[in-house]
Amino acid sequence: MVKDIATPARTQEILKKHGFSFKKSLGQNFLIDTNILRNIVEAASLSDSSGVIEIGPGIGALTEQSAKVAERVLAFEIDQRLMPILKETLAPFPHVNVIHKDVLKANVREEMAKFFYEGQDVAVVANLPYYITTPILMKLLEDKLPVRVIVVMLQKEVAERIAAAPGSKDYGSLSIAAQYYAEAETVFTVPKTVFIPQPNVDSAILRLTIRDKPPVRVNNEERFFQIVQASFAQRRKTLLNNLSAYFKDTLSKQVVAEKLQDLNIDPKRRGESLSMEEFARIENNMSENE
């Protein structure tokens, strides 16, 4: 019987055999706790007919656990040095396809269409490199891929920011951007001690359940996100000051204040106190009346 990849002994054995050295620039930290990996896979509620997308499979520890449950697994790996290792470690799983591509440059929808059947239940299950977590997550969400859920391990504080509610210190433009597309929740935390090499921070498992449609109606999505970002540009400043800076070429500060008051939004409030629905009302009102 093949031993699980995610044990300290087997991981070290694989790394030694292939003379693999970690690249800090790629944010490589490999998990060496099989129970945690199983819990990650469980959080995605996979069935034997599910498809899985993984980003950064490393030496295949999480891939292996997904492959034990799902019908097909498609993994994107940027590091060419890992391709022969993955070919060996994932040999028992012919339904896994690892492609050597940077997921940020790849046409993920196209790759999905090649590998999964139409209408297949697909989940993203991945341990994301910390240095590039947010761009990867936002690409997956903004591309509106046909996936049911995204379950990822990432830096704990980033997971808390994404899942944060209005009024909390972690709430910001990233919270709204992610929650526009998905319901966000942190499932459990992961200590740094279960990685080789150990990162400097603890991790968390974040589950993003993709929405059928956004929770608010906006006239212009791009502009909605710009207004949200502008409102958090300087967190200590009032909504009025931040939005006046954003609208400086089209609306005077007085007009911005009047428009906010018309919406029953106190111009002295700060961005972190506003709900997504209030931001949507600002966008809809400003674009209709400019």
Side-chain angles (χ1 to χ4, degrees):
M1 185 180 162
V2 179
K3 293 180 202 159
D4 283 324
I5 294 166
T7 65
R10 178 108 198 273
T11 298
Q12 293 288 12
E13 179 193 316
I14 293 165
L15 297 176
K16 191 175 175 185
K17 178 182 175 183
H18 292 270
F20 183 82
S21 57
F22 292 92
K23 267 193 185 170
K24 206 168 181 182
S25 63
L26 293 176
Q28 291 169 330
N29 303 91
F30 298 163
L31 255 172
I32 48 169
D33 187 312
T34 307
N35 285 331
I36 287 174
L37 290 169
R38 287 183 186 136
N39 290 339
I40 295 169
V41 171
E42 202 175 291
S45 302
L46 302 175
S47 73
D48 58 7
S49 61
S50 296
V52 168
I53 296 170
E54 186 179 1
I55 296 136
I59 58 172
L62 179 56
T63 328
E64 174 184 57
Q65 299 305 323
S66 292
K68 286 179 179 179
V69 182
E71 185 180 9
R72 298 179 183 188
V73 181
L74 173 65
F76 293 83
E77 178 51 61
I78 196 172
D79 189 350
Q80 176 63 49
R81 302 173 307 149
L82 287 164
M83 297 303 284
I85 302 177
L86 287 162
K87 190 174 182 184
E88 184 180 295
T89 59
L90 299 174
F93 305 102
H95 55 298
V96 173
N97 183 24
V98 182
I99 52 179
H100 175 230
K101 280 191 177 175
D102 177 350
V103 75
L104 288 174
K105 295 175 183 170
N107 186 330
V108 179
R109 186 182 291 272
E110 202 173 85
E111 298 295 345
M112 286 177 71
K114 285 184 210 166
F115 191 67
F116 301 121
Y117 59 77
E118 195 174 339
Q120 184 164 12
D121 170 66
V122 179
V124 176
V125 182
N127 171 15
L128 295 179
Y130 291 156
Y131 77 104
I132 205 163
T133 297
T134 304
I136 290 174
L137 271 183
M138 291 317 299
K139 175 187 165 73
L140 296 173
L141 293 169
E142 287 167 358
D143 285 358
K144 298 177 182 172
L145 300 171
V147 300
R148 170 179 52 83
V149 70
I150 297 172
V151 176
V152 287
M153 176 154 30
L154 62 170
Q155 194 173 324
K156 185 168 176 261
E157 72 175 41
V158 177
E160 287 168 348
R161 281 168 53 206
I162 289 170
S168 66
K169 66 177 174 58
D170 294 318
Y171 182 72
S173 55
L174 181 59
S175 322
I176 295 165
Q179 291 172 36
Y180 180 81
Y181 297 107
E183 290 178 49
E185 58 184 317
T186 51
V187 187
F188 59 93
T189 57
V190 181
K192 50 189 152 190
T193 49
V194 296
F195 292 91
I196 292 179
Q198 279 191 30
N200 299 322
V201 291
D202 286 335
S203 305
I205 306 307
L206 175 77
R207 179 166 51 211
L208 296 167
T209 306
I210 305 302
R211 299 182 189 274
D212 292 331
K213 62 178 185 181
V216 294
R217 184 194 68 80
V218 296
N219 289 333
N220 182 316
E221 272 186 13
E222 186 182 353
R223 185 150 115 148
F224 168 70
F225 291 124
Q226 286 174 356
I227 285 172
V228 169
Q229 280 194 316
S231 301
F232 289 95
Q234 296 190 57
R235 286 184 78 98
R236 286 167 173 255
K237 286 197 168 184
T238 62
L239 193 61
L240 176 59
N241 282 333
N242 276 329
L243 287 181
S244 296
Y246 173 74
F247 285 108
K248 66 181 188 300
D249 295 332
T250 51
L251 300 172
S252 69
K253 190 169 185 174
Q254 187 182 338
V255 170
V256 172
E258 287 167 2
K259 284 177 177 292
L260 289 171
Q261 279 160 342
D262 288 345
L263 294 169
N264 292 320
I265 296 171
D266 185 346
K268 290 181 186 153
R269 285 170 67 186
R270 291 191 169 89
E272 69 241 36
S273 73
L274 271 72
S275 66
M276 193 185 310
E277 192 273 333
E278 287 175 307
F279 279 117
R281 281 197 283 135
I282 291 171
E283 191 279 326
N284 290 333
N285 180 271
M286 299 290 189
S287 54
E288 280 168 10
N289 295 294
E290 235 183 274

